[in-house]
Amino acid sequence: METQGEQRTGLLFGFAAYGMWGLLPLYWALLDPAGPVEVLAHRMVWSLPTALVILALLRRWAWIRPLLREPRRLALIALAATLISGNWGLFIWAVSAEKVIEASLGYFINPLISIAFGVLLLRERLRPAQWAAVGLGTLAVAVMTAAYGRLPWLSLALAVSFALYGLLKKGVRLDGVAGFGAETAVQFLPALAILFFLGSRGESTFASEGAGHAALLACAGLATALPLIFFGGAAVRLPLSTIGLLQYLAPVSMFLLGLLVFGEEMPPERWAGFALVWLALCVLTWDALRNARCSRARLRAAAAAAASSAARTRDAHGEEVAAVRPAAAAPSPDSARG
């Protein structure tokens, strides 16, 4: 029952995390008339105090000193912070430019890009279904290129930057909250400099659009941190296969918002491109679930074989002991004569 309760809690956390990520376009749209650069800078600036409050509440400071003694990991964190800043900036710009659907395509194809990086950079071997999914994704990009009359650079840039960010995070080896704190520390000063620059040019809206607007800009850090916290809660309670399924909630929400709320166009050729991406993700998900099921079956079989082998060893040992005891108890000929 405890396990079922943990899984239910994990699912709630997962839905909360990906649901909030999927609804972020609505939040960024509320920050109008602030431009994408100002919104991004406020997001980075206010993320640091948010991270510090979370770390203080959790009393999670032990990771800082060892990290400061490792220049390589610090460099990876700086690079990861740069990549995620670019990813955030592109997405905020996409909302302001009414390209939410194109942005959602980037997060749909992100798993395919991650698989491609695994092959090209980590020399991973793909199963046939994974090759099929990558092929369908490539075909989808070709169809979308024809549909837009250009390469869908926004989708590809979002997917590639986020996949590279995930790759770097493997080398950093920090959990969600600690990684968030380290990256926001890197982002803080450049973002603060941008805000001062915008203010000096009279292009800042923080103090000119009322207290409500200023509060929304200040809450950008919380809007960044909360999904991350919920995701961390889900990740420790749910299997990776479930997390993999939940990750599609965010781009589905973005797609529906672009279509139904922001009123973006979806001509037939774009539907065809998205259909190919969705088909690729279905193949990928089916393969992941099948592989996870086979892995569990192999583990159960190995555990059963180990238990059976241990039982046979115990039985054999018991028979040896039973055979030795009568021989030890039998009287010797000399003692019988006495």
Side-chain angles (χ1 to χ4, degrees), residues 252-271:
V252 166
S253 298
M254 295 173 195
F255 176 82
L256 293 175
L257 286 175
L259 188 65
L260 303 176
V261 177
F262 294 98
E264 297 180 18
E265 294 183 358
M266 274 293 289
E269 57 271 22
R270 290 186 194 173
W271 279 109

Side-chain angles (χ1 to χ4, degrees), residues 64 73 103 126 131-132 151 162 177 180 185 188 261 315 327 337:
I64 296 177
R73 290 177 72 196
L126 298 188
W131 277 116
L151 195 69
F162 199 74
V177 176
F180 179 62
F188 182 77
V261 177
D315 291 344
R337 282 194 298 269

Side-chain angles (χ1 to χ4, degrees), residues 183-210:
E183 289 161 17
T184 54
V186 172
Q187 293 170 331
F188 182 77
L189 288 179
L192 193 62
I194 291 171
L195 290 181
F196 277 122
F197 175 75
L198 292 175
S200 69
R201 293 170 57 90
E203 297 176 3
S204 173
T205 65
F206 185 73
S208 62
E209 296 295 325

Side-chain angles (χ1 to χ4, degrees), residues 85-140:
S85 298
N87 185 275
W88 289 354
L90 280 172
F91 186 73
I92 293 168
W93 174 82
V95 175
S96 67
E98 298 183 350
K99 296 180 180 293
V100 176
I101 289 179
E102 190 173 349
S104 75
L105 176 64
Y107 293 106
F108 275 124
I109 66 176
N110 174 251
L112 303 174
I113 297 291
S114 296
I115 288 174
F117 280 173
V119 174
L120 298 174
L121 302 179
L122 303 179
R123 298 291 187 264
E124 294 178 356
R125 298 182 64 181
L126 298 188
R127 296 182 293 274
Q130 290 175 311
W131 277 116
V134 171
L136 286 169
T138 305
L139 179 59

